[in-house]
Amino acid sequence: MKITQNEVILLWWVVGIMIFSVPIVGIITDHIQKSAKIKGQFIQDQLELEKLKHENYLLETEKLKLELQQMQLKEPNEDIYKLK
């Protein structure tokens, strides 16, 4: 069995492509993994921010309720301070 010149050239092309494609695939895979990690951390940060916003909302609401109750105690006859 004799290998032709064209088969040798094709074999070298395949070897060359394989030599260069392995590092490129590694670089791309590494980039995708890093991007996924960054996105995951971003989502965690966003979740923590939303929890803090909700906690702040609850505290502000409670503060306003207490202020309204104080106003009602100081001036019980005023209709504008009544809760409906």
Side-chain angles (χ1 to χ4, degrees), residues 29-43:
T29 303
D30 185 51
H31 172 72
I32 291 171
Q33 288 175 343
K34 285 180 181 178
S35 295
K37 186 176 179 180
I38 290 169
K39 187 174 182 179
Q41 184 61 46
F42 177 75
I43 290 171

Side-chain angles (χ1 to χ4, degrees), residues 3-77:
I3 298 176
T4 66
Q5 177 93 15
N6 286 339
E7 290 174 332
V8 171
I9 291 172
L10 179 63
L11 182 61
W12 279 110
W13 271 103
V14 170
V15 169
I17 290 171
M18 292 299 289
I19 288 172
F20 289 110
S21 66
V22 170
I24 290 172
V25 169
I27 291 168
I28 292 170
T29 303
D30 185 51
H31 172 72
I32 291 171
Q33 288 175 343
K34 285 180 181 178
S35 295
K37 186 176 179 180
I38 290 169
K39 187 174 182 179
Q41 184 61 46
F42 177 75
I43 290 171
Q44 284 293 102
D45 291 345
Q46 288 292 88
L47 183 61
E48 182 65 26
L49 178 61
E50 289 301 319
K51 285 179 184 177
L52 291 172
K53 283 181 181 179
H54 181 68
E55 186 179 323
N56 187 48
Y57 169 77
L58 293 176
L59 291 171
E60 285 289 326
T61 303
E62 187 61 31
K63 178 184 169 191
L64 289 173
K65 282 182 185 178
L66 291 173
E67 287 177 3
L68 183 58
Q69 286 175 354
Q70 283 181 337
M71 292 164 81
Q72 287 174 335
L73 291 174
K74 286 181 184 177
E75 300 177 36
N77 295 331

